[in-house]
């Protein structure tokens, strides 16, 4: 088991079936996550901590790094690429 499965106990397909990443974000952290997403979509890279909840209900802490993906011709933001590291044991 690796990646999303190891940390959150679900596959990427499970995440989509649950309604996307938002369904795994701790409710108290959703405003922070939404603000970061808006800033990335506006073209600003973002990084920071985020509290999520695994499919078993276990709270987890992630350090996220998000980068905007731009269309090479128009430079418009067309997506987001990111990485996340489980930092639960440090918290």
């Amino acid at each position: 088991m690796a990646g999303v499965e190891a940390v959150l106990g679900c596959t990427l397909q499970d995440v989509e079936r649950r309604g996307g990443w938002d369904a795994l974000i701790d409710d108290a952290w959703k405003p922070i996550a939404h603000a970061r997403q808006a800033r990335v979509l506006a073209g600003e890279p973002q990084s920071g901590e985020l509290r999520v909840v695994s499919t078993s209900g276990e709270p987890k802490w992630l350090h996220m790094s998000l980068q905007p993906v731009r269309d090479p011709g128009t430079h418009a933001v067309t997506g987001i690429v990111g990485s996340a590291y489980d930092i639960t044991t440090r918290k």
Side-chain angles (χ1 to χ4, degrees):
M1 193 181 322
V4 173
E5 289 182 66
V7 175
L8 300 175
C10 60
T11 65
L12 289 175
Q13 292 80 14
D14 294 333
V15 171
E16 290 304 315
R17 278 194 290 276
R18 289 172 166 264
W21 293 108
D22 204 54
L24 298 171
I25 299 171
D26 183 287
D27 287 341
W29 282 79
K30 285 183 181 183
I32 295 165
H34 294 165
R36 285 183 186 152
Q37 181 180 20
R39 287 193 295 271
V40 173
L41 290 173
E44 298 175 41
Q46 296 291 303
S47 66
E49 295 178 358
L50 183 67
R51 186 176 159 122
V52 297
V53 180
S54 72
T55 56
S56 67
E58 182 181 359
K60 298 279 189 168
W61 287 92
L62 303 177
H63 185 273
M64 308 280 297
S65 294
L66 305 169
Q67 297 288 325
V69 176
R70 295 184 181 275
D71 178 279
T74 66
H75 301 288
V77 176
T78 58
I80 299 172
V81 66
S83 61
Y85 299 93
D86 184 357
I87 60 168
T88 305
T89 58
R90 292 187 231 161
K91 294 301 275 183

